[in-house]
Amino acid sequence: MPALGRELDKSSFRRQLKSSSDVVELDEFERGAQRPAQLFRASEGFLF
C-alpha cells in the first residue's frame, strides 16, 4: 500500500494505528467485499 511515496506494511501500520493516542477506535465497521473494516476517528485536538 503506497502512502506518502513509500510502501507500508499493512499489519505494522494497523498495529501502530491501534496503539496510537492520536486515533480512537469506533464500535462501527464498514462492510466490503471481504471482512468488515474497523473504523477509527481522530482524537480531540488532533491536527493534521
Side-chain angles (χ1 to χ4, degrees):
M1 157 180 29
L4 300 174
R6 63 180 190 170
E7 286 290 318
L8 295 177
D9 178 53
K10 289 180 185 180
S11 60
S12 295
F13 179 77
R14 247 184 248 116
R15 189 172 41 257
Q16 289 176 354
L17 183 68
K18 288 184 99 168
S19 66
S20 171
S21 62
D22 294 331
V23 294
V24 177
E25 189 173 326
L26 301 177
D27 290 330
E28 300 175 40
F29 294 86
E30 180 74 24
R31 294 287 307 171
Q34 302 286 321
R35 68 176 209 190
Q38 176 72 51
L39 299 179
F40 294 83
R41 70 169 174 78
S43 309
E44 294 254 346
F46 178 77
L47 299 174
F48 287 96

